[in-house]
Amino acid sequence: MATQLAPHQQFYIFGNCNMVPDHYDEWQAAYDKLAEHVMANEPETLTYYFGLPLEYAANPSATPSMLAFEAYASRAALYDVHLQSKPMQEGFLPVASRTMSTGLDLTHYEAVEGSFLDRSGHKTECGIIHDVQITCTGPEARKSLVGALTLFCTLVNERQGPAGEDGEVLSFLGLVSLDNETGARIFARYASREVWERWLRETLVTKFWESVKPYVSSVDARPYAPNGKGWLWK
C-alpha cells in the first residue's frame, strides 16, 4: 500500500525523456518491467505519469520526446531506493542509455498547499496534460508568486465540487523548484481538451496571471497527451 501523504508533503521530479528516433517502444518495454517491480516493492514511489507531445499521441513509437512526472515520499525514496534497485540498475537504465539521446534529465520540486493530484481517488485518466514552467525575476519575486500560486491552487480545488467526485480538473499542482531560487511550475490534468481550452479562458486563471506578471520573467507552457503507461497513484 502506498504511503499516504498530502501533495505538499511529497517530493516531485520531472524528467525530459529525449528519445533516439524510433526507439520509444524499446524504452517503454523496459519501463513496463521496471513498473512491476516498483509496484510490488517500493511503497514510497508514489506516482509515475507520462505525457507525449500532442502530435505523437496517435503514434507514440515515433515520438522524439516524452515528459515524465514522478512523486516520492522523500528524496531518499528516489535516490537511495528507486534509482539503486537491481531492476533499475541492471534492467531499465542500460536500455534507457541506448534508447535516449541524453542522460537522465531531472528537475526537483515541492508542492504548495492547496495542490491536488488525484482528488477523487478514482485514478481517472485525463484527456490532456498542461505543463507550465515559470521563471521568476528573482528569489523575492518567487516568494510573492508562491503566495499567489497557493491561493490559485486552493481556488481551483474548490471549483471541483464535493471531494471524492471527479471534476473537470483532475490534478492541479503548484510547484516550487528545489534546484534554484527562481523556478516554479504548474502541472495540471484536465478531463478533456475542450475543458482545458475553456479553463485557459476562465476569469480565475486570467486574474492569476495578471496578478503575478510583475514577478515573472518567462513562461514555457506545453500540452501533452497521457501515454497510458504510468500510474497516477498506487
Side-chain angles (χ1 to χ4, degrees), residues 130 132 190 193-206 209 221:
H130 196 210
V132 184
Y190 296 88
R193 179 163 186 161
E194 292 73 23
V195 165
W196 168 59
E197 294 278 6
R198 177 159 47 79
W199 266 86
L200 291 179
R201 294 160 176 80
E202 285 277 353
T203 301
L204 175 60
V205 177
T206 57
W209 288 112

Side-chain angles (χ1 to χ4, degrees), residues 66-142:
M66 184 171 64
L67 179 71
F69 165 76
E70 305 171 25
Y72 298 86
S74 65
R75 180 183 287 267
L78 169 62
Y79 284 106
D80 297 341
V81 179
H82 182 61
L83 289 177
Q84 301 304 318
S85 72
K86 185 175 180 179
M88 173 67 79
Q89 290 290 326
E90 298 181 10
F92 178 73
L93 288 180
V95 175
S97 67
R98 65 175 181 263
T99 58
M100 294 173 61
S101 57
T102 62
L104 296 179
D105 180 3
L106 306 180
T107 50
H108 311 81
Y109 293 85
E110 62 183 6
V112 303
E113 293 196 41
S115 300
F116 57 98
L117 177 60
D118 179 25
R119 191 173 179 275
S120 72
H122 296 163
K123 305 181 183 179
T124 303
E125 184 62 279
C126 71
I128 198 165
I129 302 162
H130 196 210
D131 179 48
V132 184
Q133 298 185 58
I134 305 167
T135 302
C136 296
T137 57
E140 291 303 314
R142 189 175 74 170

Side-chain angles (χ1 to χ4, degrees), residues 4-233:
Q4 297 300 306
L5 296 173
H8 68 276
Q9 297 174 312
Q10 299 172 34
F11 174 73
Y12 299 91
I13 68 167
F14 289 84
N16 294 315
C17 303
N18 300 299
M19 301 295 177
V20 174
D22 302 320
H23 280 67
Y24 167 84
D25 290 343
E26 186 180 355
W27 187 100
Q28 189 62 65
Y31 164 78
D32 290 344
K33 292 179 181 179
L34 175 65
E36 293 179 7
H37 165 81
V38 171
M39 288 294 289
N41 298 283
E42 296 183 14
E44 293 193 333
T45 300
L46 305 176
T47 296
Y48 250 104
Y49 205 72
F50 302 106
L52 296 167
L54 294 186
E55 61 268 32
Y56 290 96
N59 185 20
S61 298
T63 188
S65 64
M66 184 171 64
L67 179 71
F69 165 76
E70 305 171 25
Y72 298 86
S74 65
R75 180 183 287 267
L78 169 62
Y79 284 106
D80 297 341
V81 179
H82 182 61
L83 289 177
Q84 301 304 318
S85 72
K86 185 175 180 179
M88 173 67 79
Q89 290 290 326
E90 298 181 10
F92 178 73
L93 288 180
V95 175
S97 67
R98 65 175 181 263
T99 58
M100 294 173 61
S101 57
T102 62
L104 296 179
D105 180 3
L106 306 180
T107 50
H108 311 81
Y109 293 85
E110 62 183 6
V112 303
E113 293 196 41
S115 300
F116 57 98
L117 177 60
D118 179 25
R119 191 173 179 275
S120 72
H122 296 163
K123 305 181 183 179
T124 303
E125 184 62 279
C126 71
I128 198 165
I129 302 162
H130 196 210
D131 179 48
V132 184
Q133 298 185 58
I134 305 167
T135 302
C136 296
T137 57
E140 291 303 314
R142 189 175 74 170
K143 291 179 183 178
S144 298
L145 180 135
V146 166
L149 185 57
T150 301
L151 176 60
F152 185 35
C153 291
T154 300
L155 293 174
V156 173
N157 194 342
E158 292 174 353
R159 287 275 296 273
Q160 301 314 300
E165 295 182 6
D166 284 325
E168 295 182 330
V169 185
L170 303 175
S171 298
F172 203 84
L173 292 162
L175 300 158
V176 181
S177 175
L178 298 173
D179 302 322
N180 58 61
E181 295 182 317
T182 58
R185 202 160 186 154
I186 299 172
F187 180 80
R189 300 167 57 255
Y190 296 88
S192 67
R193 179 163 186 161
E194 292 73 23
V195 165
W196 168 59
E197 294 278 6
R198 177 159 47 79
W199 266 86
L200 291 179
R201 294 160 176 80
E202 285 277 353
T203 301
L204 175 60
V205 177
T206 57
K207 282 188 173 180
F208 166 75
W209 288 112
E210 185 65 29
S211 72
V212 300
K213 189 181 294 185
Y215 315 126
V216 174
S217 63
S218 68
V219 173
D220 181 12
R222 300 183 184 183
Y224 295 90
N227 79 341
K229 288 290 190 174
W231 64 84
L232 179 66
W233 187 263

